[in-house]
Amino acid sequence: MPILESNGKQISYVTGSGGIREGLRTLVFIHGSGGSRFHWNYQRQFFEKSSNVVMVDLPGHGEAGSEGEDSVEGYARHLLHLLRALPGDVFCLFGHSLGGAIVQEFTLLYPQYVEALFLVGTGVRLRVLPKIFEGIQERFEETVRLICDYAFSKKTSADLIQKGVEAMLNTRPTVLSGDFAACNRFDIMDRVGTIEVPTLVVCGGDDLLTPPKYAHFLAEKIEGARLEIIDGAGHMVMIEKPNEFNRSVMEFLETLTERTTTG
Ligand code: COA
């Protein structure tokens, strides 16, 4: 998988099996705190047929070595570096949780690159529970389990939750701590209303980390945004209810095509 050097750190990505094909829309997926490109496996399989897909590992995550960042702006700069290296001028940006903060900030800074935004389990402000924030350094494994308890719906299988725990334990504590510091500082409550790109907001009905209240707020503030609350899913909605999630996204992508073709 390509690994790019970016401001002294690394950012990497995988595409779908067809690579990046001319004439197709490009969907770029950004994971959340302690995550990696694997969080979007179901979306990769589903959307690679009809679109170009790019699943990102942020600095310090997955295959991208180096340290991470401790600010959303820092990660947004790496995203800019990555998009400039890809073919194409505009992109559909998907961001989950911290990734959602990154794509919002990116859109405020560089709207010319953004065809549409897909904000998944995220919000305009992402304050972090002190017991999560403080526990990462001192009781890493226990805290990762706690985060995953909050991150999945009680209706989700124990097997899937355990996979989530194992995946997050692969992230170094310093990187995870930086991610949560970035979330904790993030606050665009006063600026979100200036986002002007077509936006789909998706949230699991049982999301405890970024509750549906955050999604409603986003959808109210971003003009014309569509809101989907998916029942029976928590914060990891795209993994917990992939079929429902992919259907919502596909329907929204079709509205973009209609906008383009009807001028
Ligand atoms: N969208 C809309 N409203 C928001 C918001 C968002 N993204 N973030 C905060 N608010 C609201 C809160 O609901 C609250 O409203 P209220 O006064 O009507 O109850 C108000 O703004 C202040 O909230 P907040 O800034 O979060 O501070 P707090 O001291 O009330 O709570 C926490 C702090 C950590 C307890 C709380 O943010 C929380 O439970 N977070 C979710 C758990 C978590 O750690 N998530 C990780 C995110 S990555």
Side-chain angles (χ1 to χ4, degrees), residues 3-24:
I3 299 181
L4 306 179
E5 297 300 322
S6 167
N7 293 328
K9 296 192 175 166
Q10 295 187 338
I11 186 164
S12 65
Y13 66 95
V14 291
T15 63
S17 50
I20 308 249
R21 294 153 291 176
E22 210 173 309
L24 291 186

Side-chain angles (χ1 to χ4, degrees), residues 13 20 26 83-91:
Y13 66 95
I20 308 249
T26 300
L83 296 187
R84 283 185 170 157
L86 293 176
D89 302 321
V90 289
F91 304 89

Side-chain angles (χ1 to χ4, degrees), residues 65-197:
S66 76
E67 281 305 315
E69 294 285 348
D70 61 5
S71 73
V72 167
E73 297 82 357
Y75 280 127
R77 279 194 289 275
H78 295 294
L79 178 58
L80 175 66
H81 189 83
L82 170 70
L83 296 187
R84 283 185 170 157
L86 293 176
D89 302 321
V90 289
F91 304 89
C92 286
L93 298 184
F94 290 67
H96 174 241
S97 199
L98 168 63
I102 296 167
V103 299
Q104 289 174 77
E105 184 68 43
F106 182 89
T107 304
L108 289 167
L109 294 171
Y110 316 108
Q112 67 275 23
Y113 288 99
V114 187
E115 181 185 5
L117 264 186
F118 297 77
L119 302 177
V120 185
T122 193
V124 297
R125 174 156 64 184
L126 297 175
R127 295 286 294 281
V128 179
L129 283 168
K131 64 178 162 182
I132 292 181
F133 207 43
E134 289 150 16
I136 293 167
Q137 292 299 346
E138 288 142 36
R139 299 171 300 280
F140 183 62
E141 187 166 343
E142 185 189 320
T143 305
V144 165
R145 286 187 190 282
L146 175 77
I147 296 167
C148 291
D149 266 357
Y150 283 121
F152 289 88
S153 167
K154 298 284 169 254
K155 295 164 199 134
T156 294
S157 76
D159 200 36
L160 196 58
I161 300 174
Q162 180 57 24
K163 285 196 181 121
V165 171
E166 285 161 19
M168 192 173 270
L169 285 173
N170 285 329
T171 311
R172 280 166 289 147
T174 49
V175 173
L176 192 55
S177 226
D179 286 354
F180 281 118
C183 288
N184 208 40
R185 277 194 202 120
F186 180 67
D187 186 347
I188 58 155
M189 247 181 201
D190 297 340
R191 295 192 289 149
V192 63
T194 63
I195 291 180
E196 285 182 339
V197 301

